[in-house]
C-alpha cells in the first residue's frame, strides 16, 4: 500500500470560503474525504500550515520514508528558497500542485522555487490537480 501525504501551505485552510471564483466552494476536508474514499488502497494523510518553517519541518519529517509528497506550498512556492531546498534535500519524490493555473495569474506567480526539485508539476485543474498527483504515484 502506497503511503502519500498532501502538504498544503498558507491560506489553503480557507478553501471553500476564499476567492471561490479561483478555488471553488468545496472545503479541503470535504475533498480529502472524497479522495480517501476513492483510493482505499492508498494511505493518504494531510497536513496544512500557514507557517513556512512548519512546512519545512513536515517535509523533512516525512521525506525519507513516504512513497510520495503532494505539495501545494501556495504563496510560498514563489518566495521560499527554504522550501525548495527542503524538497531538494529529501529522497521522497514530490509532486508540486496548484489549484489554479499560476501562469494565468500575476507575474510573480510564474516563478517556483519548488519546480526545479519536484518530480512533476500539476496545476490549473482545480482540486482535481491533487487527484492527478495521486494517480502519478500509482503508475
Amino acid at each position: 500500500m502506497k503511503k502519500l501525504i498532501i502538504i498544503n501551505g498558507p491560506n489553503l485552510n480557507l478553501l471553500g470560503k476564499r476567492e471561490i471564483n479561483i478555488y471553488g466552494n468545496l472545503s479541503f476536508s470535504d475533498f480529502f474525504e472524497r479522495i480517501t474514499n476513492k483510493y482505499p488502497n492508498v494511505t493518504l494523510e494531510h497536513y496544512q500550515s500557514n507557517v513556512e518553517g512548519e512546512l519545512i519541518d513536515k517535509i523533512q519529517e516525512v521525506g525519507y520514508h513516504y512513497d510520495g509528497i503532494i505539495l501545494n506550498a501556495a504563496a510560498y512556492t514563489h518566495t521560499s528558497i527554504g522550501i525548495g531546498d527542503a524538497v531538494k534535500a529529501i529522497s521522497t519524490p514530490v509532486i508540486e500542485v496548484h489549484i489554479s493555473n499560476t501562469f494565468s495569474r500575476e507575474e510573480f506567480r510564474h516563478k517556483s522555487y519548488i519546480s526545479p526539485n519536484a518530480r512533476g508539476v500539476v496545476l490549473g485543474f482545480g482540486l482535481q490537480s491533487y487527484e492527478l498527483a495521486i494517480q502519478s504515484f500509482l503508475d
Side-chain angles (χ1 to χ4, degrees):
M1 185 177 290
K2 296 275 187 176
K3 186 173 185 180
L4 307 176
I5 186 168
I6 297 171
I7 299 176
N8 279 334
N11 301 310
L12 291 170
N13 56 308
L14 297 176
L15 287 177
K17 298 177 184 175
R18 72 178 274 236
E19 298 176 277
I20 292 172
N21 58 319
I22 296 173
Y23 299 106
N25 59 6
L26 187 64
S27 72
F28 192 82
S29 61
D30 288 343
F31 172 73
F32 188 73
E33 183 178 340
R34 286 184 190 177
I35 59 172
T36 302
N37 291 333
K38 186 171 183 175
Y39 296 97
N41 295 326
V42 177
T43 300
L44 276 173
E45 297 176 21
H46 169 253
Y47 176 81
Q48 189 278 328
S49 178
N50 293 318
V51 180
E52 181 179 16
E54 291 176 0
L55 295 169
I56 292 169
D57 288 344
K58 182 55 86 172
I59 291 166
Q60 291 176 357
E61 175 189 325
V62 302
Y64 294 96
H65 56 278
Y66 279 53
D67 295 305
I69 297 171
I70 298 163
L71 175 61
N72 185 345
Y76 287 137
T77 301
H78 321 292
T79 63
S80 179
I81 295 168
I83 292 175
D85 285 348
V87 170
K88 185 177 182 179
I90 62 172
S91 59
T92 296
V94 174
I95 302 293
E96 177 183 347
V97 165
H98 298 284
I99 296 167
S100 68
N101 177 353
T102 57
F103 292 101
S104 69
R105 299 182 65 192
E106 303 92 341
E107 181 73 26
F108 73 88
R109 295 186 196 275
H110 299 184
K111 168 73 174 167
S112 169
Y113 287 101
I114 296 164
S115 294
N117 303 304
R119 176 183 185 191
V121 179
V122 181
L123 56 89
F125 293 97
L127 291 173
Q128 187 182 8
S129 296
Y130 292 97
E131 189 170 347
L132 293 169
I134 292 167
Q135 290 172 4
S136 77
F137 287 112
L138 302 181
D139 294 336

